[in-house]
Amino acid sequence: MGSDFGGYWLTERYASLLPSSSPFTDALSSDYATRTSQLSSGLTSLSFPKFFQGIFINRVMDVSSDVAHGLASSFSYFTILIGSYLILYLLTFFLIRLIFAPLWSGLAFGENGKSLLGRLAGVIYSSAKGVFFLLAIALVVSLIDNLMLKAGNSSFHSLLVEQLSLDDPSRYSLGRLFYNSADALWQWINLI
């Protein structure tokens, strides 16, 4: 964000895409609560859901100008963060693939993965895929539960408490483990 690319060019690009009407033209207040309210109203006018607004408000890098530039600096921050992550992920993936190519091609996993090591790798891969699938389902269930609780409807939450034993920590429940992990992830996202 300190470079001309992130701090200026990308922020200016995002700012030019935002509307040139109120609340985007309002100068950002030096008071934190007022500034948060201004940024929230800008995100609301862009139809951002309330539960995602905290993510963008907490990453505003430029508070010296108007609401449009403040939000644009937040969008720039996340663009650079996600772009950097993808580049580092791909570089790491290709580097590991290059290093382990001799092992993968026949020494350890020979006969198209039908050796003992290949079968163990398949078990680990399938288990990881299953865990991520269950976590994705738990994320959706937790999101629906939180949205319904915010709307004042607790019938779905009551069903989850009964079925997953959410109120009885002495009883082990694999579903409760996934639900609590997903709920903790949503709470963490709200804090960002």
Side-chain angles (χ1 to χ4, degrees), residues 161-187:
V161 168
E162 178 186 331
Q163 295 295 321
L164 300 177
S165 304
L166 294 177
D167 58 350
D168 186 11
S170 65
R171 189 171 153 210
Y172 180 75
S173 169
L174 192 59
R176 183 178 67 223
L177 175 72
F178 281 105
Y179 176 81
N180 286 341
S181 300
D183 197 46
L185 182 62
W186 285 122
Q187 299 304 323

PDB file of all heavy atoms in Angstrom, residues 161-187:
ATOM      1  N   VAL A 161     -29.393 -26.328  18.539  1.00  0.00           N
ATOM      2  CA  VAL A 161     -29.024 -26.605  19.930  1.00  0.00           C
ATOM      3  C   VAL A 161     -29.448 -28.017  20.308  1.00  0.00           C
ATOM      4  O   VAL A 161     -28.695 -28.761  20.952  1.00  0.00           O
ATOM      5  CB  VAL A 161     -29.650 -25.566  20.887  1.00  0.00           C
ATOM      6  CG1 VAL A 161     -29.532 -25.995  22.333  1.00  0.00           C
ATOM      7  CG2 VAL A 161     -28.999 -24.211  20.679  1.00  0.00           C
ATOM      8  N   GLU A 162     -30.628 -28.409  19.888  1.00  0.00           N
ATOM      9  CA  GLU A 162     -31.132 -29.748  20.216  1.00  0.00           C
ATOM     10  C   GLU A 162     -30.365 -30.836  19.464  1.00  0.00           C
ATOM     11  O   GLU A 162     -29.953 -31.832  20.056  1.00  0.00           O
ATOM     12  CB  GLU A 162     -32.619 -29.824  19.866  1.00  0.00           C
ATOM     13  CG  GLU A 162     -33.226 -31.192  20.116  1.00  0.00           C
ATOM     14  CD  GLU A 162     -34.661 -31.242  19.624  1.00  0.00           C
ATOM     15  OE1 GLU A 162     -35.342 -30.196  19.621  1.00  0.00           O
ATOM     16  OE2 GLU A 162     -35.076 -32.333  19.224  1.00  0.00           O
ATOM     17  N   GLN A 163     -30.146 -30.661  18.175  1.00  0.00           N
ATOM     18  CA  GLN A 163     -29.540 -31.704  17.356  1.00  0.00           C
ATOM     19  C   GLN A 163     -28.029 -31.836  17.552  1.00  0.00           C
ATOM     20  O   GLN A 163     -27.489 -32.928  17.485  1.00  0.00           O
ATOM     21  CB  GLN A 163     -29.833 -31.458  15.872  1.00  0.00           C
ATOM     22  CG  GLN A 163     -31.269 -31.566  15.509  1.00  0.00           C
ATOM     23  CD  GLN A 163     -31.808 -32.972  15.690  1.00  0.00           C
ATOM     24  OE1 GLN A 163     -31.129 -33.943  15.396  1.00  0.00           O
ATOM     25  NE2 GLN A 163     -33.024 -33.077  16.210  1.00  0.00           N
ATOM     26  N   LEU A 164     -27.343 -30.703  17.766  1.00  0.00           N
ATOM     27  CA  LEU A 164     -25.879 -30.721  17.867  1.00  0.00           C
ATOM     28  C   LEU A 164     -25.378 -30.668  19.304  1.00  0.00           C
ATOM     29  O   LEU A 164     -24.176 -30.608  19.524  1.00  0.00           O
ATOM     30  CB  LEU A 164     -25.281 -29.553  17.081  1.00  0.00           C
ATOM     31  CG  LEU A 164     -25.586 -29.512  15.596  1.00  0.00           C
ATOM     32  CD1 LEU A 164     -24.995 -28.274  14.967  1.00  0.00           C
ATOM     33  CD2 LEU A 164     -25.076 -30.759  14.904  1.00  0.00           C
ATOM     34  N   SER A 165     -26.290 -30.658  20.270  1.00  0.00           N
ATOM     35  CA  SER A 165     -25.930 -30.582  21.697  1.00  0.00           C
ATOM     36  C   SER A 165     -25.043 -29.375  21.976  1.00  0.00           C
ATOM     37  O   SER A 165     -24.014 -29.480  22.652  1.00  0.00           O
ATOM     38  CB  SER A 165     -25.212 -31.861  22.143  1.00  0.00           C
ATOM     39  OG  SER A 165     -25.982 -32.993  21.885  1.00  0.00           O
ATOM     40  N   LEU A 166     -25.440 -28.213  21.461  1.00  0.00           N
ATOM     41  CA  LEU A 166     -24.644 -27.010  21.645  1.00  0.00           C
ATOM     42  C   LEU A 166     -24.601 -26.548  23.098  1.00  0.00           C
ATOM     43  O   LEU A 166     -23.657 -25.892  23.511  1.00  0.00           O
ATOM     44  CB  LEU A 166     -25.179 -25.875  20.761  1.00  0.00           C
ATOM     45  CG  LEU A 166     -25.065 -26.076  19.254  1.00  0.00           C
ATOM     46  CD1 LEU A 166     -25.692 -24.911  18.522  1.00  0.00           C
ATOM     47  CD2 LEU A 166     -23.625 -26.267  18.835  1.00  0.00           C
ATOM     48  N   ASP A 167     -25.622 -26.899  23.874  1.00  0.00           N
ATOM     49  CA  ASP A 167     -25.675 -26.452  25.265  1.00  0.00           C
ATOM     50  C   ASP A 167     -25.105 -27.477  26.244  1.00  0.00           C
ATOM     51  O   ASP A 167     -25.085 -27.240  27.445  1.00  0.00           O
ATOM     52  CB  ASP A 167     -27.114 -26.110  25.652  1.00  0.00           C
ATOM     53  CG  ASP A 167     -28.054 -27.290  25.463  1.00  0.00           C
ATOM     54  OD1 ASP A 167     -27.642 -28.298  24.855  1.00  0.00           O
ATOM     55  OD2 ASP A 167     -29.215 -27.189  25.903  1.00  0.00           O
ATOM     56  N   ASP A 168     -24.601 -28.605  25.763  1.00  0.00           N
ATOM     57  CA  ASP A 168     -24.067 -29.654  26.628  1.00  0.00           C
ATOM     58  C   ASP A 168     -22.615 -29.953  26.243  1.00  0.00           C
ATOM     59  O   ASP A 168     -22.347 -30.839  25.431  1.00  0.00           O
ATOM     60  CB  ASP A 168     -24.916 -30.921  26.493  1.00  0.00           C
ATOM     61  CG  ASP A 168     -24.500 -31.999  27.478  1.00  0.00           C
ATOM     62  OD1 ASP A 168     -23.702 -31.699  28.389  1.00  0.00           O
ATOM     63  OD2 ASP A 168     -24.980 -33.133  27.330  1.00  0.00           O
ATOM     64  N   PRO A 169     -21.648 -29.212  26.816  1.00  0.00           N
ATOM     65  CA  PRO A 169     -20.251 -29.416  26.430  1.00  0.00           C
ATOM     66  C   PRO A 169     -19.673 -30.755  26.896  1.00  0.00           C
ATOM     67  O   PRO A 169     -18.629 -31.177  26.421  1.00  0.00           O
ATOM     68  CB  PRO A 169     -19.516 -28.251  27.085  1.00  0.00           C
ATOM     69  CG  PRO A 169     -20.404 -27.776  28.166  1.00  0.00           C
ATOM     70  CD  PRO A 169     -21.802 -28.140  27.776  1.00  0.00           C
ATOM     71  N   SER A 170     -20.336 -31.433  27.820  1.00  0.00           N
ATOM     72  CA  SER A 170     -19.808 -32.709  28.292  1.00  0.00           C
ATOM     73  C   SER A 170     -20.048 -33.835  27.281  1.00  0.00           C
ATOM     74  O   SER A 170     -19.387 -34.861  27.324  1.00  0.00           O
ATOM     75  CB  SER A 170     -20.451 -33.079  29.629  1.00  0.00           C
ATOM     76  OG  SER A 170     -21.838 -33.296  29.458  1.00  0.00           O
ATOM     77  N   ARG A 171     -20.984 -33.646  26.380  1.00  0.00           N
ATOM     78  CA  ARG A 171     -21.311 -34.659  25.375  1.00  0.00           C
ATOM     79  C   ARG A 171     -20.567 -34.351  24.081  1.00  0.00           C
ATOM     80  O   ARG A 171     -20.623 -33.242  23.565  1.00  0.00           O
ATOM     81  CB  ARG A 171     -22.811 -34.652  25.131  1.00  0.00           C
ATOM     82  CG  ARG A 171     -23.275 -35.778  24.288  1.00  0.00           C
ATOM     83  CD  ARG A 171     -24.780 -35.825  24.277  1.00  0.00           C
ATOM     84  NE  ARG A 171     -25.156 -36.460  23.013  1.00  0.00           N
ATOM     85  CZ  ARG A 171     -26.249 -36.219  22.361  1.00  0.00           C
ATOM     86  NH1 ARG A 171     -27.117 -35.368  22.853  1.00  0.00           N
ATOM     87  NH2 ARG A 171     -26.508 -36.818  21.244  1.00  0.00           N
ATOM     88  N   TYR A 172     -19.839 -35.333  23.560  1.00  0.00           N
ATOM     89  CA  TYR A 172     -19.069 -35.132  22.339  1.00  0.00           C
ATOM     90  C   TYR A 172     -19.986 -35.178  21.119  1.00  0.00           C
ATOM     91  O   TYR A 172     -20.843 -36.046  21.008  1.00  0.00           O
ATOM     92  CB  TYR A 172     -17.986 -36.199  22.193  1.00  0.00           C
ATOM     93  CG  TYR A 172     -17.171 -36.032  20.943  1.00  0.00           C
ATOM     94  CD1 TYR A 172     -16.216 -35.029  20.849  1.00  0.00           C
ATOM     95  CD2 TYR A 172     -17.389 -36.837  19.841  1.00  0.00           C
ATOM     96  CE1 TYR A 172     -15.478 -34.851  19.708  1.00  0.00           C
ATOM     97  CE2 TYR A 172     -16.654 -36.670  18.677  1.00  0.00           C
ATOM     98  CZ  TYR A 172     -15.696 -35.674  18.610  1.00  0.00           C
ATOM     99  OH  TYR A 172     -14.976 -35.497  17.475  1.00  0.00           O
ATOM    100  N   SER A 173     -19.786 -34.226  20.207  1.00  0.00           N
ATOM    101  CA  SER A 173     -20.564 -34.184  18.980  1.00  0.00           C
ATOM    102  C   SER A 173     -19.671 -33.662  17.863  1.00  0.00           C
ATOM    103  O   SER A 173     -19.131 -32.556  17.954  1.00  0.00           O
ATOM    104  CB  SER A 173     -21.778 -33.272  19.158  1.00  0.00           C
ATOM    105  OG  SER A 173     -22.389 -33.022  17.920  1.00  0.00           O
ATOM    106  N   LEU A 174     -19.492 -34.468  16.832  1.00  0.00           N
ATOM    107  CA  LEU A 174     -18.686 -34.053  15.694  1.00  0.00           C
ATOM    108  C   LEU A 174     -19.351 -32.880  14.963  1.00  0.00           C
ATOM    109  O   LEU A 174     -18.676 -31.958  14.509  1.00  0.00           O
ATOM    110  CB  LEU A 174     -18.480 -35.233  14.741  1.00  0.00           C
ATOM    111  CG  LEU A 174     -17.450 -35.066  13.648  1.00  0.00           C
ATOM    112  CD1 LEU A 174     -16.082 -34.785  14.243  1.00  0.00           C
ATOM    113  CD2 LEU A 174     -17.390 -36.302  12.781  1.00  0.00           C
ATOM    114  N   GLY A 175     -20.683 -32.907  14.888  1.00  0.00           N
ATOM    115  CA  GLY A 175     -21.412 -31.802  14.267  1.00  0.00           C
ATOM    116  C   GLY A 175     -21.199 -30.497  15.015  1.00  0.00           C
ATOM    117  O   GLY A 175     -21.051 -29.442  14.406  1.00  0.00           O
ATOM    118  N   ARG A 176     -21.177 -30.575  16.373  1.00  0.00           N
ATOM    119  CA  ARG A 176     -20.938 -29.379  17.166  1.00  0.00           C
ATOM    120  C   ARG A 176     -19.529 -28.839  16.916  1.00  0.00           C
ATOM    121  O   ARG A 176     -19.322 -27.631  16.855  1.00  0.00           O
ATOM    122  CB  ARG A 176     -21.126 -29.677  18.659  1.00  0.00           C
ATOM    123  CG  ARG A 176     -20.951 -28.428  19.516  1.00  0.00           C
ATOM    124  CD  ARG A 176     -21.169 -28.660  20.980  1.00  0.00           C
ATOM    125  NE  ARG A 176     -20.122 -29.517  21.501  1.00  0.00           N
ATOM    126  CZ  ARG A 176     -20.326 -30.524  22.330  1.00  0.00           C
ATOM    127  NH1 ARG A 176     -21.534 -30.815  22.725  1.00  0.00           N
ATOM    128  NH2 ARG A 176     -19.315 -31.237  22.766  1.00  0.00           N
ATOM    129  N   LEU A 177     -18.558 -29.738  16.748  1.00  0.00           N
ATOM    130  CA  LEU A 177     -17.192 -29.315  16.461  1.00  0.00           C
ATOM    131  C   LEU A 177     -17.133 -28.517  15.159  1.00  0.00           C
ATOM    132  O   LEU A 177     -16.543 -27.428  15.116  1.00  0.00           O
ATOM    133  CB  LEU A 177     -16.275 -30.538  16.383  1.00  0.00           C
ATOM    134  CG  LEU A 177     -14.847 -30.273  15.973  1.00  0.00           C
ATOM    135  CD1 LEU A 177     -14.103 -29.569  17.101  1.00  0.00           C
ATOM    136  CD2 LEU A 177     -14.152 -31.556  15.609  1.00  0.00           C
ATOM    137  N   PHE A 178     -17.766 -29.028  14.101  1.00  0.00           N
ATOM    138  CA  PHE A 178     -17.771 -28.309  12.830  1.00  0.00           C
ATOM    139  C   PHE A 178     -18.569 -27.017  12.926  1.00  0.00           C
ATOM    140  O   PHE A 178     -18.160 -25.979  12.397  1.00  0.00           O
ATOM    141  CB  PHE A 178     -18.330 -29.197  11.708  1.00  0.00           C
ATOM    142  CG  PHE A 178     -17.334 -30.177  11.183  1.00  0.00           C
ATOM    143  CD1 PHE A 178     -17.420 -31.521  11.514  1.00  0.00           C
ATOM    144  CD2 PHE A 178     -16.313 -29.769  10.359  1.00  0.00           C
ATOM    145  CE1 PHE A 178     -16.509 -32.428  11.028  1.00  0.00           C
ATOM    146  CE2 PHE A 178     -15.385 -30.667   9.860  1.00  0.00           C
ATOM    147  CZ  PHE A 178     -15.484 -32.006  10.205  1.00  0.00           C
ATOM    148  N   TYR A 179     -19.723 -27.053  13.607  1.00  0.00           N
ATOM    149  CA  TYR A 179     -20.545 -25.851  13.741  1.00  0.00           C
ATOM    150  C   TYR A 179     -19.802 -24.773  14.516  1.00  0.00           C
ATOM    151  O   TYR A 179     -19.779 -23.607  14.109  1.00  0.00           O
ATOM    152  CB  TYR A 179     -21.872 -26.176  14.427  1.00  0.00           C
ATOM    153  CG  TYR A 179     -22.708 -24.945  14.663  1.00  0.00           C
ATOM    154  CD1 TYR A 179     -23.485 -24.409  13.645  1.00  0.00           C
ATOM    155  CD2 TYR A 179     -22.696 -24.291  15.900  1.00  0.00           C
ATOM    156  CE1 TYR A 179     -24.236 -23.268  13.846  1.00  0.00           C
ATOM    157  CE2 TYR A 179     -23.436 -23.156  16.100  1.00  0.00           C
ATOM    158  CZ  TYR A 179     -24.201 -22.643  15.071  1.00  0.00           C
ATOM    159  OH  TYR A 179     -24.926 -21.497  15.281  1.00  0.00           O
ATOM    160  N   ASN A 180     -19.179 -25.137  15.647  1.00  0.00           N
ATOM    161  CA  ASN A 180     -18.451 -24.151  16.452  1.00  0.00           C
ATOM    162  C   ASN A 180     -17.257 -23.589  15.695  1.00  0.00           C
ATOM    163  O   ASN A 180     -16.942 -22.399  15.814  1.00  0.00           O
ATOM    164  CB  ASN A 180     -18.003 -24.766  17.772  1.00  0.00           C
ATOM    165  CG  ASN A 180     -19.153 -24.950  18.738  1.00  0.00           C
ATOM    166  OD1 ASN A 180     -20.206 -24.328  18.588  1.00  0.00           O
ATOM    167  ND2 ASN A 180     -18.972 -25.827  19.713  1.00  0.00           N
ATOM    168  N   SER A 181     -16.580 -24.421  14.906  1.00  0.00           N
ATOM    169  CA  SER A 181     -15.461 -23.931  14.092  1.00  0.00           C
ATOM    170  C   SER A 181     -15.952 -22.928  13.053  1.00  0.00           C
ATOM    171  O   SER A 181     -15.340 -21.879  12.850  1.00  0.00           O
ATOM    172  CB  SER A 181     -14.760 -25.093  13.402  1.00  0.00           C
ATOM    173  OG  SER A 181     -14.247 -25.999  14.336  1.00  0.00           O
ATOM    174  N   ALA A 182     -17.051 -23.255  12.396  1.00  0.00           N
ATOM    175  CA  ALA A 182     -17.604 -22.357  11.376  1.00  0.00           C
ATOM    176  C   ALA A 182     -18.102 -21.061  12.014  1.00  0.00           C
ATOM    177  O   ALA A 182     -17.881 -19.974  11.484  1.00  0.00           O
ATOM    178  CB  ALA A 182     -18.735 -23.042  10.627  1.00  0.00           C
ATOM    179  N   ASP A 183     -18.761 -21.168  13.168  1.00  0.00           N
ATOM    180  CA  ASP A 183     -19.264 -19.979  13.853  1.00  0.00           C
ATOM    181  C   ASP A 183     -18.105 -19.095  14.314  1.00  0.00           C
ATOM    182  O   ASP A 183     -18.178 -17.873  14.221  1.00  0.00           O
ATOM    183  CB  ASP A 183     -20.134 -20.398  15.037  1.00  0.00           C
ATOM    184  CG  ASP A 183     -20.996 -19.258  15.535  1.00  0.00           C
ATOM    185  OD1 ASP A 183     -21.613 -18.573  14.690  1.00  0.00           O
ATOM    186  OD2 ASP A 183     -21.047 -19.052  16.761  1.00  0.00           O
ATOM    187  N   ALA A 184     -17.034 -19.711  14.796  1.00  0.00           N
ATOM    188  CA  ALA A 184     -15.851 -18.938  15.205  1.00  0.00           C
ATOM    189  C   ALA A 184     -15.233 -18.227  14.008  1.00  0.00           C
ATOM    190  O   ALA A 184     -14.767 -17.090  14.132  1.00  0.00           O
ATOM    191  CB  ALA A 184     -14.832 -19.853  15.872  1.00  0.00           C
ATOM    192  N   LEU A 185     -15.249 -18.873  12.837  1.00  0.00           N
ATOM    193  CA  LEU A 185     -14.728 -18.234  11.632  1.00  0.00           C
ATOM    194  C   LEU A 185     -15.566 -17.022  11.252  1.00  0.00           C
ATOM    195  O   LEU A 185     -15.026 -15.966  10.918  1.00  0.00           O
ATOM    196  CB  LEU A 185     -14.691 -19.237  10.483  1.00  0.00           C
ATOM    197  CG  LEU A 185     -14.115 -18.723   9.164  1.00  0.00           C
ATOM    198  CD1 LEU A 185     -12.659 -18.321   9.330  1.00  0.00           C
ATOM    199  CD2 LEU A 185     -14.249 -19.782   8.086  1.00  0.00           C
ATOM    200  N   TRP A 186     -16.905 -17.137  11.341  1.00  0.00           N
ATOM    201  CA  TRP A 186     -17.760 -15.975  11.043  1.00  0.00           C
ATOM    202  C   TRP A 186     -17.534 -14.854  12.045  1.00  0.00           C
ATOM    203  O   TRP A 186     -17.524 -13.678  11.677  1.00  0.00           O
ATOM    204  CB  TRP A 186     -19.234 -16.365  11.032  1.00  0.00           C
ATOM    205  CG  TRP A 186     -19.658 -17.109   9.819  1.00  0.00           C
ATOM    206  CD1 TRP A 186     -20.213 -18.344   9.776  1.00  0.00           C
ATOM    207  CD2 TRP A 186     -19.570 -16.683   8.455  1.00  0.00           C
ATOM    208  NE1 TRP A 186     -20.468 -18.717   8.475  1.00  0.00           N
ATOM    209  CE2 TRP A 186     -20.085 -17.706   7.645  1.00  0.00           C
ATOM    210  CE3 TRP A 186     -19.093 -15.530   7.834  1.00  0.00           C
ATOM    211  CZ2 TRP A 186     -20.141 -17.623   6.268  1.00  0.00           C
ATOM    212  CZ3 TRP A 186     -19.158 -15.443   6.456  1.00  0.00           C
ATOM    213  CH2 TRP A 186     -19.668 -16.473   5.685  1.00  0.00           C
ATOM    214  N   GLN A 187     -17.364 -15.199  13.319  1.00  0.00           N
ATOM    215  CA  GLN A 187     -17.109 -14.167  14.328  1.00  0.00           C
ATOM    216  C   GLN A 187     -15.774 -13.478  14.059  1.00  0.00           C
ATOM    217  O   GLN A 187     -15.640 -12.275  14.235  1.00  0.00           O
ATOM    218  CB  GLN A 187     -17.121 -14.783  15.737  1.00  0.00           C
ATOM    219  CG  GLN A 187     -18.426 -15.423  16.137  1.00  0.00           C
ATOM    220  CD  GLN A 187     -19.603 -14.475  16.031  1.00  0.00           C
ATOM    221  OE1 GLN A 187     -19.500 -13.292  16.322  1.00  0.00           O
ATOM    222  NE2 GLN A 187     -20.740 -14.991  15.602  1.00  0.00           N
TER     223      GLN A 187
END
